[in-house]
């Protein structure tokens, strides 16, 4: 009996392409890529990526000081982004406008939360399966970030 791998390009862990067996570590890799995609709005197959550049490497390079340059600008706004119009937001212009409108303490906290979430995504999508963090640790870290966010919002 032979196993046929199914999945989407960019979400399948590298070890599967080298004959590695499917495992929960592969699922963690896919989860990490998806998490990075949600926060950067960049798919692994985005045309901006060439060579070995991808969502994982883009995020790794940006961490921790340039996170605000790569995140989806709509995350910094309370207004909804209308995907139905298929408009691409100019990241630099839109982010800088929204940054100016945010209070410094709110912006600093937002950056801290984003850095933490993106570090989880990068850890999950590590090329080496042994370097990926276990899912219970991922869940605990995400819950801690959410709790910090909720506490901060209750103080506002």
């Amino acid at each position: 009996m032979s196993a046929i791998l199914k999945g989407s390009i960019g979400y399948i862990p590298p070890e599967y392409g080298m004959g590695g067996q499917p495992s929960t570590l592969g699922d963690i890799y896919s989860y990490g890529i998806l998490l990075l995609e949600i926060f950067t709005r960049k798919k692994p197959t985005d045309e901006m990526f060439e060579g070995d550049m991808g969502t994982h490497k883009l995020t790794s390079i940006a961490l921790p000081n340039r996170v605000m340059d790569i995140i989806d600008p709509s995350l910094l706004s309370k207004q909804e982004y209308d995907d139905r119009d298929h408009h691409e937001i100019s990241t630099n212009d839109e982010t800088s406008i929204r940054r100016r409108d945010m209070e410094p303490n709110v912006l600093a906290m937002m950056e801290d939360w984003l850095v933490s979430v993106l570090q989880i995504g990068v850890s999950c999508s590590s090329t080496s399966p042994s370097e990926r963090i276990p899912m219970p640790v991922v869940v605990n870290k995400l819950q801690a970030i959410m709790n910090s966010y909720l506490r901060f919002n209750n103080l506002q």
Side-chain angles (χ1 to χ4, degrees):
M1 180 185 289
S2 67
I4 298 173
L5 287 178
K6 293 185 179 184
S8 300
I9 295 171
Y11 301 93
I12 299 173
E15 66 268 18
Y16 290 6
M18 295 180 264
Q21 293 298 310
S23 70
T24 55
L25 293 174
D27 295 338
I28 292 169
Y29 175 89
S30 301
Y31 177 80
I33 295 295
L34 183 61
L35 189 63
L36 297 178
E37 179 182 340
I38 289 168
F39 282 85
T40 65
R41 200 168 189 189
K42 299 288 182 226
K43 295 182 181 197
T45 56
D46 194 293
E47 61 187 37
M48 75 174 279
F49 299 133
E50 295 177 1
D52 68 341
M53 181 59 81
T55 315
H56 174 88
K57 189 167 186 175
L58 172 77
T59 308
S60 296
I61 292 168
L63 282 170
N65 300 322
R66 297 191 57 223
V67 164
M68 298 306 266
D69 295 336
I70 65 162
I71 62 148
D72 177 359
S74 66
L75 294 176
L76 299 177
S77 174
K78 290 184 181 180
Q79 70 187 51
E80 294 295 318
Y81 179 77
D82 189 356
D83 280 333
R84 291 171 289 166
D85 291 337
H86 303 300
H87 290 279
E88 283 296 317
I89 295 176
S90 170
T91 305
N92 293 337
D93 295 340
E94 194 71 21
T95 302
S96 63
I97 290 167
R98 290 183 181 149
R99 273 189 192 166
R100 276 185 271 138
D101 295 339
M102 294 179 112
E103 294 178 29
N105 65 327
V106 174
L107 181 60
M109 289 302 295
M110 181 72 72
E111 284 186 63
D112 287 347
W113 296 318
L114 290 168
V115 165
S116 297
V117 169
L118 293 176
Q119 285 173 332
I120 293 168
V122 166
S123 294
C124 287
S125 61
S126 175
T127 304
S128 172
S130 63
E131 292 177 8
R132 297 179 194 146
I133 56 177
M135 207 47 139
V137 175
V138 170
V139 171
N140 289 337
K141 287 182 177 207
L142 289 174
Q143 284 179 328
I145 295 165
M146 180 186 71
N147 290 338
S148 172
Y149 174 79
L150 294 173
R151 279 192 306 274
F152 183 82
N153 274 343
N154 285 337
L155 296 174
Q156 296 295 309

